Amino acid sequence: QLVESGGGSVHPGGSLRLSCRASGITLAYYALAWFRQAPGKEREGVACMSESGNTIEYGGSVQGRFTISRDSAKNTFYLQMENVKPSDTALYYCATEGPILSPLVDVCPDEFGFWGRGTQVTVSS
């Protein structure tokens, strides 16, 4: 089970940190990702971290502003959002895929099998 938290309302230029706590799986063996979906738009990949942590990918619109990270001790991963914009307003989902076996430990998967229920982020002045 994946449970997101940390969403809310924030002003443009502000920061927010989303958390995704896992239960029943050990995140250290999984690839991790954040997706988002704004009203009337398709779901968009925001960030991905491979199982090894050696590969991290970001969507073009968040590159340089968002950071994905993992705390294996807490079995939780995060999305740190900086300098947010109104266009970042969306329902944010965390997702995982695994357990990942060699030689795919450095790959961000095309599909993710485990999903959270989402947390809303609203950026407005």
Side-chain angles (χ1 to χ4, degrees):
Q1 181 182 8
L2 301 177
V3 179
E4 301 96 337
S5 62
S9 295
V10 60
H11 294 306
S15 302
L16 208 59
R17 189 177 79 158
L18 306 183
S19 300
C20 180
R21 182 175 57 84
S23 58
I25 62 173
T26 302
L27 286 181
Y29 304 119
Y30 284 70
L32 316 172
W34 289 94
F35 292 81
R36 68 186 182 186
Q37 188 166 21
K41 295 188 177 181
E42 294 187 354
R43 188 174 62 197
E44 173 189 16
V46 174
C48 173
M49 175 184 285
S50 65
E51 185 265 11
S52 67
N54 291 331
T55 298
I56 295 179
E57 298 176 351
Y58 295 99
S61 61
V62 307
Q63 181 79 42
R65 299 188 298 119
F66 291 9
T67 302
I68 186 172
S69 62
R70 171 174 53 198
D71 187 332
S72 295
K74 295 182 178 179
N75 215 31
T76 300
F77 66 105
Y78 306 95
L79 183 70
Q80 180 68 42
M81 307 168 62
E82 303 284 351
N83 189 25
V84 297
K85 305 175 181 180
S87 56
D88 294 322
T89 295
L91 188 61
Y92 283 73
Y93 299 90
C94 63
T96 64
E97 177 60 23
I100 302 294
L101 304 177
S102 179
L104 300 177
V105 295
D106 291 330
V107 175
C108 277
D110 292 331
E111 296 183 357
F112 289 81
F114 301 90
W115 292 80
R117 302 181 72 172
T119 185
Q120 178 67 38
V121 172
T122 302
V123 183
S124 68
S125 53

